[in-house]
Structures are given as structure tokens and as C-alpha cells.
Amino acid sequence: MNQDQKNNNLKNTSTSSLSNGLRGEISAPGDKSISHRCVILSSIAIGESRIEGLLGSTDVICTIEAMKSLGANISLNSNKCIINGIGIGSLIEPKKPLDFGNSGTAARLIMGLVSTHPIKSVFVGDASLSKRPMGRVIDPLTEFGTEFELTSSEFFPIVVNGAKLPIPISYETSVPSAQVKSAVLLAGLNTPGITSVIEKQKTRDHTERLLEIYGYQIDIIEEKQKTKISITGQESLTSVNIVVPGDPSSAAYPVVAGLICKNSNVTVKNVLMNPTRDGIYKSLEEMGAKIDFTNKKFQAGEDVYDILVESSHLKAIDVPASRAPSMIDDYPVLAVAASIAEGTSIFRGLSELKVKESNRLSGIKHFLEVNGVNVAIKNDDLIIEGNPKGIKGGGIINTNLDHRIAMSSLILGLISDSPVSIDDTKTIDTSFPGFINLMRALGAKIKLSDMSSAL
Ligand code: S3P
């Protein structure tokens, strides 16, 4: 490693330490899933859409850049975004590879969208995204008539040759994945006839809710414990004025911090609450969290609340596998809460965590273990022995390009006897730019390395 690389690494580190008395009111950043979808749908709507509260994270910027390369006219000024859509079926062939950075959602959703346009596009991403399985979207998209050029099994880089005459499909997903469901629905938009997706386990339903808001007819039928979602292709989307609600997965970090740090009282405003996303909040309530949901509003087709929390004595929890889709991104931070709860927690059925931004099942075990928590993985279950007296801490966590492991490790440091460090702070910008400043505003002791005071 040369000196520049060493300096760069140093620039990126940050450290959190024992913090009491977190107090204050903050707003959650815009929801990442809804932000991606608003950019994509506005880009193929007819007319000008105005999106407020768009998450300006690196993941969402990848979606914006990709949609611009595909022909949309997009301007972003602080978190106000104006998009002039080009209509369904009008995407142009991108001149350079579409770079999706760290974002599995951007990559899979846009792969669905381009797959039924007669254009060729090259999909690339960072080291983390290049290890994530794409077979789960390639399989259904191939049924539409799309052709894929693969160089390294199912992994990026991938060349997508969109179908010239796409054929509608009816597809039952084999993994509970909103990304797969949404890829198929977006492919169906430019396909004549009816495209259907069938889910055994419900996953986040923002694509469905937003399609309705953009004036697109969508039919949802519940039968034999499955959900069938159907659209008729080649209709049109109308432009919208929309406000993106706060992200419940991002809000979970200050919420958990407020619960586990002593003498704390924290409010997180404007948080989306949707039954396909609220597993983390159900779990915290079951653990005995003092948590209130107030000031209900309705934004972007979703219920939105302010969340108030106070320091709480948490009890261990047994999280059923059936809850996983509604909190799939939130196990790392729930694991922090479990590590200080009374008793042994078990989180069941976490196989999907192995294919996230990093292998989060082993990533959670690692960041807890190096900070002195007793933790084990049995089959795909995670078992965490809680210690209400506190955590030893002292670990330096290699975040492996995983923003949620990075933020969760810093939250763990707030209840640890010795400070906890992460090797890469920048990765947090993937979903939560401003995380450290926001946590500091509440009173959390988080320090960037000396070299990074300019960050
Ligand atoms: C997302 C779906 C989830 C989630 C991801 C965002 C989405 O992935 O992990 O952060 O916006 O559709 P899967 O649907 O693949 O589980």
C-alpha cells in the first residue's frame, strides 16, 4: 500500500464511544426504495415530475445517472428533483456502461426496465455489487425474450440485449425479493399484453403503490396465500408532484440509539410506516421498547409518522423467519439492540442476508464478536446472547462496502466500554448521507479520524 492509499484509508475511519443522554428531534432522510422508483417512473412518465425529499445518496445518484444515459432529462438541486419523462418505450441506447456503484436495487430494477426495449446496455458496479447474484432477475427477464451476455457466471459486468418483440410472462418468484418483483413489473411496462408476478411471501410494495400514483392500472389479487400482481403493458404513466417520506430503515439507527443509550429521549420525524417494512418496529416493541408513533400523515401513497423513543430496558426476542421480508435491511441494527437486551435472542431464517451488500449474516456475527458479544450462527439463524451491563467494545470493523454494517457498528460503540471504529465512513453515503452529523446533533460521540475533518 502506498502513502496515498494509507492516507485514504485513514481519511475514511471513524470511531464512536460511550454516550448517554441522547436528545433531540431529527428528520429521517428520504426513503431509498421510493427514491429509486420515483426517479425511474418519472423518467418514463409523460411530462414534468417534481420530487421533493428525494434521497441524495450515492445509490440514488446511480439511478439518476443511469436514467439520464437512457434519455431522461433530470435536474437535482439539494433534495428537489425535476424530471422530464420520455414515455414508455422511448429509452435510448446508452453510449457508455451504466455504472450502478453499490446499488442492487438500481441495477435490478433498471435491468428489468431496459430488458424490454430494443437497446443494448452494459451493466457494471463496484466490488460489492459485482459479487451479488443477478440470476434471480436474469431468469424471468429471459422469458420476456431478453438476451444476456455473461462473462462471469451470473455476475457483473453483464451485457443486456433488450427484447425487440417482448412476450408477456406470468412469473412466480423463487426468493422473497421486491427487486425481482419490481424488475418483472418494469419489464412488463413495455410489453404488450398482461404481465403478472406471483409472490408467496409479501415484499415491499412501493412499486405497486407508486404505479397507481403515476396513473397506471395495476391489479392485485390475494389467492391461496399468494399475491398475484398484474399489469397490462404499453399504457402510459402521467407525471406527478410527490414528496418522498422518510426511510424507516435509516430511522432505525437513531431510534435504536435512543433506546439503548441511557437517559435518552429522541424523536425521528416523517418516517414511512408500511406493513411490508415495519418488522424492525414490531420487533423493538416486542422487546419492550418505549416507542410512540404520532402525527400521522399520508405521503406518496404511504402512512408517515413521527417516532418518539426513550431509553428502555430491552428483553431478548425470537424473530420468526416469516418477518424477514418486512425488515430485511434492519437485522444489523436489531442485532445491536439484542446485544444489550436481557436474555438470548434468535433471528430465524436469514439466508437472504448472505446476498446483500456484503454477507450480512457473517458480517453481523463478526462486528458483534470482535466487540465481545457472544454470538453464533446455526443453519441460517442468528443467536445473540444479550448483556444489559454493556458491551466490551474496542473492535475495528472492516465494513466490506456495507453501509448498514458501518452504521450499526458505530451505534454499538455508543454502548461499549471501549470505542468502536470502522474502516470506511464513506460507504454510509450509500443510504444515509449526513448520518454522523445527525447522530452527533443528538449527542452521540462519534469522531472522524483527524485526517477526515474536512469530510
Ligand atoms: C429493496 C429491496 C430489498 C432491500 C433493498 C431495497 C427495494 O432487497 O434489501 O435494500 O428497494 O426493492 P430484496 O428485494 O432483494 O430483498
Side-chain angles (χ1 to χ4, degrees):
M1 191 184 293
N2 64 31
Q3 194 54 43
D4 275 356
Q5 284 167 322
K6 275 188 195 151
N7 287 347
N8 257 336
N9 283 350
L10 201 56
K11 235 184 223 163
N12 258 331
T13 62
S14 50
T15 303
S16 61
S17 43
L18 198 61
S19 304
N20 289 326
L22 302 194
R23 260 157 220 279
E25 198 175 271
I26 55 175
S27 288
D31 187 72
K32 182 156 74 70
S33 294
I34 294 182
S35 295
H36 284 302
R37 286 159 174 82
C38 283
V39 172
I40 294 171
L41 295 179
S42 299
S43 297
I44 52 166
I46 292 173
E48 182 174 286
S49 291
R50 289 174 176 263
I51 310 164
E52 255 184 67
L54 190 85
L55 175 68
S57 75
T58 50
D59 264 18
V60 177
I61 302 293
C62 287
T63 294
I64 291 178
E65 290 306 317
M67 293 316 301
K68 279 186 185 169
S69 300
L70 291 163
N73 192 324
I74 307 180
S75 75
L76 178 65
N77 222 329
S78 99
N79 61 2
K80 281 204 178 106
C81 185
I82 300 178
I83 302 185
N84 279 289
I86 51 177
I88 289 173
S90 307
L91 299 182
I92 57 166
E93 188 158 287
K95 293 199 174 63
K96 50 182 197 315
L98 302 174
D99 186 348
F100 292 96
N102 191 254
S103 180
T105 307
R108 294 189 178 118
L109 267 55
I110 293 175
M111 193 177 276
L113 184 72
V114 300
S115 72
T116 53
H117 285 73
I119 56 174
K120 176 175 185 158
S121 16
V122 182
F123 279 59
V124 299
D126 72 3
S128 151
L129 186 55
S130 303
K131 284 191 218 137
R132 297 185 67 185
M134 293 295 149
R136 54 183 58 200
V137 278
I138 291 174
D139 288 348
L141 299 179
T142 302
E143 290 185 27
F144 281 97
T146 311
E147 286 174 6
F148 293 89
E149 294 170 38
L150 305 173
T151 41
S152 165
S153 161
E154 61 175 319
F155 302 105
F156 277 7
I158 291 177
V159 179
V160 184
N161 294 295
K164 291 190 178 69
L165 294 170
I167 309 152
I169 67 166
S170 179
Y171 187 77
E172 180 160 330
T173 52
S174 52
V175 280
S177 167
Q179 294 178 353
V180 175
K181 169 176 67 180
S182 303
V184 173
L185 291 173
L186 292 173
L189 287 178
N190 195 37
T191 303
I194 298 175
T195 291
S196 302
V197 194
I198 299 140
E199 288 194 305
K200 287 194 260 314
Q201 267 185 295
K202 270 198 182 152
T203 61
R204 65 189 68 194
D205 59 0
H206 309 302
T207 304
E208 297 90 306
R209 289 175 188 242
L210 286 168
L211 278 170
E212 283 190 336
I213 290 180
Y214 284 79
Y216 208 92
Q217 161 98 31
I218 176 156
D219 294 311
I220 303 175
I221 309 170
E222 313 269 344
E223 55 182 20
K224 296 187 200 135
Q225 294 177 341
K226 293 181 183 175
T227 309
K228 182 174 183 184
I229 305 134
S230 304
I231 56 166
T232 301
Q234 298 182 331
E235 305 285 332
S236 51
L237 295 159
T238 40
S239 55
V240 299
N241 283 346
I242 201 164
V243 183
V244 178
D247 193 317
S249 295
S250 300
Y253 300 94
V255 161
V256 167
L259 293 170
I260 62 177
C261 294
K262 293 199 174 91
N263 301 317
S264 298
N265 214 312
V266 168
T267 300
V268 188
K269 294 176 72 176
N270 276 329
V271 185
L272 155 78
M273 259 324 121
N274 168 319
T276 61
R277 296 284 298 279
D278 65 0
I280 175 74
Y281 295 97
K282 270 195 190 132
S283 302
L284 290 170
E285 278 181 325
E286 282 173 22
M287 293 173 84
K290 292 183 194 155
I291 182 162
D292 273 328
F293 300 88
T294 62
N295 201 14
K296 184 175 175 182
K297 282 184 281 191
F298 195 64
Q299 273 178 3
E302 306 275 358
D303 289 336
V304 176
Y305 291 86
D306 294 346
I307 305 180
L308 280 62
V309 292
E310 286 178 42
S311 318
S312 307
H313 181 81
L314 299 177
K315 302 180 303 272
I317 184 171
D318 187 333
V319 185
S322 58
R323 193 174 292 171
S326 70
M327 54 175 294
I328 195 65
D329 293 333
D330 310 323
Y331 286 100
V333 75
L334 188 69
V336 175
S339 69
I340 198 163
E342 195 173 319
T344 300
S345 291
I346 174 155
F347 303 169
R348 298 179 191 272
L350 303 186
S351 57
E352 273 297 296
L353 287 196
K354 296 184 205 162
V355 291
K356 293 295 174 190
E357 285 81 332
S358 67
N359 177 342
R360 277 193 189 145
L361 189 52
S362 57
I364 296 173
K365 180 170 185 277
H366 173 73
F367 88 78
L368 292 181
E369 211 159 49
V370 297
N371 287 297
V373 180
N374 282 333
V375 49
I377 298 172
K378 255 200 196 147
N379 303 320
D380 290 330
D381 299 343
L382 188 69
I383 301 150
I384 301 168
E385 213 178 282
N387 182 0
K389 290 200 187 103
I391 309 298
K392 190 161 121 288
I396 301 173
I397 309 304
N398 180 351
T399 52
N400 283 322
L401 289 174
D402 191 323
H403 51 125
R404 300 204 192 276
I405 296 291
M407 289 186 279
S408 301
S409 303
L410 290 177
I411 300 292
L412 188 73
L414 305 180
I415 49 164
S416 297
D417 296 335
S418 302
V420 172
S421 298
I422 59 170
D423 66 336
D424 182 6
T425 310
K426 271 222 116 357
T427 190
I428 293 174
D429 289 350
T430 295
S431 65
F432 199 156
F435 167 76
I436 292 189
N437 283 342
L438 220 94
M439 291 305 303
R440 277 174 166 171
L442 293 175
K445 291 185 187 152
I446 305 183
K447 238 181 27 195
L448 295 162
S449 68
D450 291 346
M451 291 288 295
S452 61
S453 48
L455 278 179

